[in-house]
């Protein structure tokens, strides 16, 4: 459970989304453990508010997403709301508009993001995790998209990310069967990047986040922008954006600091400028 006495913690969605900031690392916690962190519409909107706040905080250089309670990252949408919010096509379209806006915010997020996954990562939770730049999981994690078991269609963007990570054949197997896979299988097929014992997951995730936070922000931004363009169809790539961020890096105070620190055999102190 999150430490609710943390003075840097801010609640959203009646406390079901929590935001924390420590030493350049922002953390967003899905805090609905009684429902295995299933996402209600209110949680989606609170998630967007927390993302926006961390995006606009210059002290934050990397953002971690995690679930409360140790049983789930996000187990999917809150099905108890479906009779009200997704009972037919029209209602589902309205639901999607409201939740899609928050996913779009994460998809285009300017700062590095890490999904720290323990327990169930299912359905909409998979979509959140796949939108993160990096996925790190505990040994006990389980992954799946049970859309076929619920009679609903998983959206284009979610399937696009799934196919890009695991390929079309594994995407078909996961979608057609609604099966769950463990963290070892998820690692093998490329759905996640690292796996750690449950009791080491948070420490290892924070170590990676802190490494990122202490590296040059403009260089990381350049990598993020360029990788995003590489993944696009060639006709849609913004080569000017790649050139602009490259020039910004070469003209930056951080580049001068990096050179000087190397010559002086010390750790650089990057300002992001």
């Amino acid at each position: 459970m999150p430490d609710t006495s943390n003075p840097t913690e801010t609640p959203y969605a009646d406390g079901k989304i929590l935001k924390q900031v420590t030493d350049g690392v922002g953390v967003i916690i899905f805090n609905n453990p009684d429902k295995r962190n299933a996402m209600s519409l209110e949680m989606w909107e609170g998630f967007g508010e927390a993302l926006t706040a961390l995006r606009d905080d210059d002290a934050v250089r990397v953002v971690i997403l995690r679930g409360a309670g140790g049983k789930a990252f996000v187990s999917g949408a809150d099905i108890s709301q479906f009779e009200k919010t997704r009972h037919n096509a029209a209602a589902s379209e309205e639901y999607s508009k409201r939740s899609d806006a928050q996913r779009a915010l994460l998809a285009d997020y300017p700062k590095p993001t890490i999904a720290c996954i323990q327990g169930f990562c299912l359905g909409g939770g998979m979509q959140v995790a796949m939108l993160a730049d990096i996925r790190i999981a505990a040994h006990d994690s389980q992954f799946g998209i049970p859309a076929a078991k619920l009679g609903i269609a998983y959206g284009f963007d979610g399937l696009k990310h799934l196919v890009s990570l695991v390929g079309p054949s594994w995407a078909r197997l996961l979608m057609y069967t609604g099966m769950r896979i463990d963290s070892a299988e998820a690692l093998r097929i490329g759905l996640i990047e690292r796996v750690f014992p449950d009791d080491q997951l948070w420490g290892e995730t924070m170590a990676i986040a802190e490494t990122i936070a202490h590296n040059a922000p403009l260089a990381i931004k350049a990598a993020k922008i360029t990788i995003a363009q590489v993944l696009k169809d060639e006709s849609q790539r913004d080569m000017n954006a790649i050139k602009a961020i490259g020039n910004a890096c070469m003209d930056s105070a951080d580049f001068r600091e990096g050179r000087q620190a190397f010559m002086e055999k010390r750790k650089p102190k990057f300002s992001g400028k």
Side-chain angles (χ1 to χ4, degrees):
M1 289 294 292
D3 178 8
T4 55
S5 66
N6 186 337
T8 68
E9 187 170 84
T10 305
Y12 301 87
D14 293 326
K16 291 184 178 179
I17 297 290
L18 302 174
K19 172 178 72 70
Q20 299 174 347
V21 178
T22 305
D23 296 330
V25 179
V27 181
I28 296 177
I29 301 169
F30 304 104
N31 186 36
N32 191 16
D34 290 344
K35 292 188 176 182
R36 292 179 174 173
N37 302 324
M39 293 286 282
S40 64
L41 268 176
E42 294 76 19
M43 287 177 67
W44 278 115
E45 290 169 352
F47 178 46
E49 292 171 10
L51 282 171
T52 300
L54 292 175
R55 181 197 65 191
D56 296 341
D57 185 341
D58 291 338
V60 173
R61 295 188 176 182
V62 58
V63 174
I64 300 173
L65 311 177
R66 67 181 304 201
K71 300 294 185 182
F73 173 68
V74 173
S75 62
D78 186 348
I79 297 176
S80 68
Q81 287 194 335
F82 278 20
E83 282 300 314
K84 179 180 178 181
T85 62
R86 300 181 75 180
H87 56 281
N88 59 28
S92 184
E93 184 175 359
E94 179 60 26
Y95 176 97
S96 294
K97 285 180 182 178
R98 294 173 66 183
S99 59
D100 284 353
Q102 322 312 326
R103 286 189 287 269
L105 181 61
L106 179 57
D108 294 327
Y109 210 64
K111 298 178 180 181
T113 53
I114 302 172
C116 176
I117 302 163
Q118 184 171 15
F120 295 104
C121 181
L122 306 173
M126 278 268 287
Q127 198 161 7
V128 172
M130 290 189 294
L131 286 170
D133 293 324
I134 300 165
R135 285 155 294 282
I136 302 171
H139 281 163
D140 73 348
S141 301
Q142 295 186 46
F143 303 83
I145 300 173
K149 296 180 181 295
L150 293 171
I152 60 176
Y154 206 62
F156 175 84
D157 288 340
L159 283 177
K160 179 182 177 183
H161 286 101
L162 182 63
V163 171
S164 71
L165 289 170
V166 306
S169 294
W170 260 103
R172 292 186 187 104
L173 180 59
L174 290 169
M175 294 305 302
Y176 295 175
T177 64
M179 66 189 292
R180 295 181 187 176
I181 59 174
D182 61 19
S183 57
E185 189 82 284
L187 180 66
R188 187 182 70 80
I189 66 175
L191 184 61
I192 59 177
E193 283 71 62
R194 304 292 298 275
V195 176
F196 293 104
D198 300 1
D199 60 354
Q200 297 177 26
L201 175 66
W202 181 241
E204 295 288 352
T205 302
M206 277 298 294
I208 292 170
E210 288 167 354
T211 297
I212 294 170
H214 287 98
N215 284 337
L218 283 175
I220 292 171
K221 184 177 181 180
K224 182 156 184 167
I225 288 172
T226 304
I227 291 168
Q229 297 303 318
V230 167
L231 293 173
K232 293 181 180 180
D233 184 88
E234 186 174 356
S235 64
Q236 298 178 333
R237 290 175 187 159
D238 187 349
M239 302 307 292
N240 289 330
I242 295 173
K243 183 176 181 180
I245 189 61
N247 289 341
C249 286
M250 297 304 292
D251 290 338
S252 69
D254 277 354
F255 182 38
R256 292 193 295 274
E257 167 64 9
R259 298 197 309 270
Q260 290 172 359
F262 179 81
M263 297 300 294
E264 295 167 8
K265 297 182 180 179
R266 60 174 174 81
K267 290 183 178 181
K269 295 181 179 180
F270 294 118
S271 65
K273 299 178 181 178

